[in-house]
Amino acid sequence: MALTKEQIRQIAEQTRNSLERGGSGGSFVSGTAQCLFDDVNDAIETAIRAQQRLAEMTLEDRSKLVEAMRVCAREHAEELAILAHEETGYGKVQHKIAKNLLAANKTPGVEDLHPTAYSGDDGLTLVETAPYGVIGSITPSTNPTATVINNSISMIAAGNAVVYNPHPAAKRASQRAMELLNQAIVDAGGPNGLITAPKEPTMDTSAVLMSHKAIKMLAVTGGEAVVAVAMKSGKKCVAGQPARHRRRHGEHPRRGEKDRRRREL
């Protein structure tokens, strides 16, 4: 049975209170999984160990973990949408629910890992996909929970672990999504720590992700400045930023008014 809006609001309030009390990782969800750390280096080390364990699992096992994440994301789509809206002021709850569900249902999973074989004068070649290892992901305030759902499913399906540095303005909603998904993985028999993050994301923790030798790839969604820095990190980087018209006209009227006044000046 779907939660009522009042029940979801109560859960969101409990989540905020837990964070304000400085609760430890795993405090949002019943269980023993931990994905939030005081030190970003601890988050990275935990992700390294978890990814090594994931590499030892079969594709069938990995598929079960991905399905557990999808189910979890669907079950908590409303809760995460309300929490993100209340924390950031962006968008509409119903739109965020739809985005969460889209990410849960349509993000490519293990089924998209297709080996390729071809032959010719030089013999037979088999091409298999392989994980990068640990991916560093910087996520936005505009669609925080949908981005975490999408990144987590696709990256773990490909055999990676992911260390997040969420936008500080959306850290509560982002971290709630991370803990839910990490707990779902553990409950499905996967290793703890395939999803990790610092408890207090800052520019400094972001810089650690971009420079850490164990981070082999970056996935960045954010403003021009953070995207520019990520592109110069020397690592393989997939980066994007929200369209300017979206900030001006769509999701935050107060910021849109400021942008309009800047253009007029």
Side-chain angles (χ1 to χ4, degrees), residues 31-34 65 68 180-194:
T32 58
Q34 180 182 12
L65 304 186
L180 286 167
L181 295 173
N182 190 60
Q183 184 69 53
I185 291 169
V186 173
D187 290 344
N192 175 62
L194 287 176

Side-chain angles (χ1 to χ4, degrees), residues 184-235:
I185 291 169
V186 173
D187 290 344
N192 175 62
L194 287 176
I195 299 168
T196 65
K199 290 180 184 177
E200 296 298 332
T202 63
M203 292 181 64
D204 289 339
T205 56
S206 175
V208 172
L209 283 188
M210 292 187 189
S211 61
H212 199 287
K213 64 180 181 180
I215 303 293
K216 303 301 183 183
M217 178 181 177
L218 298 173
V220 179
T221 306
E224 294 177 9
V226 68
V227 169
V229 172
M231 296 295 286
K232 296 176 182 177
S233 67
K235 301 178 184 294

Side-chain angles (χ1 to χ4, degrees), residues 5 9 77-78 81-83 85-86 90-98:
K5 287 188 176 181
R9 290 184 187 279
E78 293 178 86
I82 288 176
L83 186 56
H85 176 69
E86 291 182 348
Y90 285 129
K92 297 181 179 179
V93 171
Q94 290 304 315
H95 294 172
K96 290 188 177 296
I97 292 173

